[in-house]
Amino acid sequence: MSNIHCGKDLTSGVIDALGFCAFTVTDDNVARLYPELTKNAYVIPAGEASKTPETLFAVLAEMSNRRIKRGDRIAAVGGGVVGDLTGLAAALYMRGVEWTSIPTSLLAMVDSGIGGKTAVDFNGIKNLVGAFHMPRDIVISCEFLKTLPEREWLCGTGELIKTCLLSKDAYALLTDKLDGFIARDDDSVFALVDECVKIKNAVVESDPEEKNLRKILNVGHTVGHALESADRYKLSHGEYVLKGMLTELAMCRDLTDEAFYDEITRLLVGFTAPPRTTGKSVCEKALSDKKNTGDTITIMLPRAAGDILDVKIERADFMRRYDDALKELKRVWTSL
């Protein structure tokens, strides 16, 4: 498993970790903000549009041009796209080289930078081509978050809330620290990031290849990924996770604790609006998701904090529940 180092300011640790790496991948936003850390890096355009087989093979070609050897280590310095892409390149190059994950976005720190799930989007489907390839080291320095744009902050908030729903203690911490988190108070942010890192790592260690427990990390992701693909990635991944959680809860309201449903719905609508995408479009994309088989769609539902239910829904029932959910969420939204 990965060696994880998490702190408020681990700049020196980042520099040390990069010193062990023969090749670094970053994006143009990170390269602009941190030129000293990325001066010899291979730079890709920021954003989901870079998460493609074409960019992947460009990275592999650059690794070959720089004569990276099987015993070398490479590094990903950036958000989720950089981490997913670089990790997959590390898995493929010479049948696997070591890599180090240095997440710079909130989303990557609490979710995608941990666990070794690497992938690119393919044929219009999110994360269709990928591999499990654990980073040797993960260095999480919350200092990076001080330069994070508001849009990327919102993106990471989706995954942070999702992770906090997986544990009663984490959910209690979220409600306690939420105001400080929104204000970007250093102590509140670090407390929640550190808690999410511990939860994600514990789940990954118990189920590294998502055969059982790790499925709980897909809360909000069935509808979220489907919306993301149907909308052609107009918003960030975390924004779609927020919409996915909100919609899936409304779709399965009959299966959730009533007080919890009301509380978490009020929390989520503070960060996102209900989706507008049709049930038919979302259903078609959801059926293409690798988690689903036949005409059955899987939703990981938090029916209460720390209580995640694996819900199987048939196509027709999924569309009915989705359309009913949008009506309910529209009512909630207009009443605010």
Side-chain angles (χ1 to χ4, degrees):
M1 300 302 292
S2 305
N3 301 310
I4 301 180
H5 313 274
C6 182
K8 290 183 180 180
D9 185 357
L10 296 183
T11 303
S12 61
V14 170
I15 294 170
D16 289 345
L18 289 174
F20 288 101
C21 297
F23 179 72
T24 298
V25 179
T26 192
D27 67 36
D28 49 14
N29 284 338
V30 177
R32 173 176 52 82
L33 291 167
Y34 301 98
E36 290 303 311
L37 292 178
T38 59
K39 58 186 175 182
N40 296 316
Y42 182 77
V43 181
I44 66 172
E48 190 76 22
S50 287
K51 197 173 167 182
T52 64
E54 292 76 17
T55 310
L56 170 67
F57 277 92
V59 170
L60 291 169
E62 185 66 14
M63 291 171 69
S64 176
N65 292 339
R66 297 196 192 188
R67 301 185 183 279
I68 301 303
K69 302 294 189 294
R70 195 171 192 178
D72 289 334
R73 191 185 309 175
I74 69 173
V77 182
V81 170
V82 170
D84 282 3
L85 186 77
T86 307
L88 184 54
L92 295 174
Y93 189 81
M94 293 187 173
R95 297 191 178 94
V97 297
E98 290 184 345
W99 70 294
T100 293
S101 173
I102 301 175
T104 61
S105 71
L106 181 59
L107 180 144
M109 289 182 187
V110 302
D111 186 66
S112 65
I114 305 168
K117 284 175 72 172
T118 70
V120 294
D121 306 333
F122 182 69
N123 203 27
I125 306 299
K126 177 86 172 177
N127 295 333
L128 187 63
V129 177
F132 288 97
H133 189 49
M134 296 289 180
R136 179 186 174 100
D137 294 294
I138 303 170
V139 184
I140 298 171
S141 176
C142 291
E143 186 72 8
F144 282 118
L145 298 179
K146 292 182 177 179
T147 59
L148 199 67
E150 187 62 33
R151 185 74 178 274
E152 289 302 314
W153 190 267
L154 180 62
C155 176
T157 299
E159 291 288 2
L160 184 141
I161 291 173
K162 177 212 75 176
T163 304
C164 287
L165 293 178
L166 307 182
S167 157
K168 287 183 179 179
D169 289 343
Y171 184 67
L173 183 67
L174 173 66
T175 56
D176 180 55
K177 301 290 186 181
L178 185 61
D179 288 343
F181 173 79
I182 292 171
R184 302 202 192 190
D185 168 70
D186 288 351
D187 290 338
S188 298
V189 170
F190 174 70
L192 286 169
V193 168
D194 189 52
E195 183 69 13
C196 288
V197 168
K198 291 173 182 175
I199 292 172
K200 176 74 184 280
N201 190 50
V203 171
V204 169
E205 284 189 343
S206 67
D207 183 18
E209 295 189 357
E210 200 174 341
K211 298 184 183 300
N212 191 11
L213 177 64
R214 190 167 177 172
K215 293 177 182 178
I216 67 174
L217 297 172
N218 289 319
V219 166
H221 280 61
T222 296
V223 170
H225 275 170
L227 289 169
E228 197 168 3
S229 296
D231 283 358
R232 298 181 183 273
Y233 313 108
K234 292 176 183 177
L235 304 178
S236 68
H237 170 70
E239 289 174 283
Y240 285 112
V241 171
L242 285 166
K243 292 182 183 295
M245 286 189 287
L246 182 64
T247 307
E248 290 175 8
L249 280 161
M251 289 174 67
C252 302
R253 184 176 182 177
D254 57 315
L255 303 175
T256 62
D257 175 82
E258 185 175 350
F260 173 77
Y261 173 83
D262 290 340
E263 185 175 58
I264 194 62
T265 297
R266 285 196 301 271
L267 187 154
L268 291 170
V269 296
F271 293 100
T272 190
R276 296 182 178 181
T277 312
T278 66
K280 181 179 180 181
S281 296
V282 170
C283 186
E284 288 175 355
K285 293 296 184 181
L287 286 167
S288 300
D289 193 294
K290 55 189 175 297
K291 298 185 292 294
N292 302 316
T293 58
D295 277 353
T296 301
I297 298 171
T298 298
I299 285 176
M300 302 307 296
L301 176 71
R303 52 185 174 182
D307 182 6
I308 312 302
L309 181 66
D310 187 337
V311 181
K312 310 290 186 185
I313 306 176
E314 297 295 324
R315 177 201 292 257
D317 191 30
F318 181 94
M319 286 194 286
R320 178 186 64 79
R321 285 178 176 269
Y322 180 89
D323 290 339
D324 288 347
L326 290 199
K327 293 176 185 177
E328 163 65 11
L329 293 174
K330 183 179 180 180
R331 182 191 65 77
V332 172
W333 185 254
T334 54
S335 68
L336 294 177

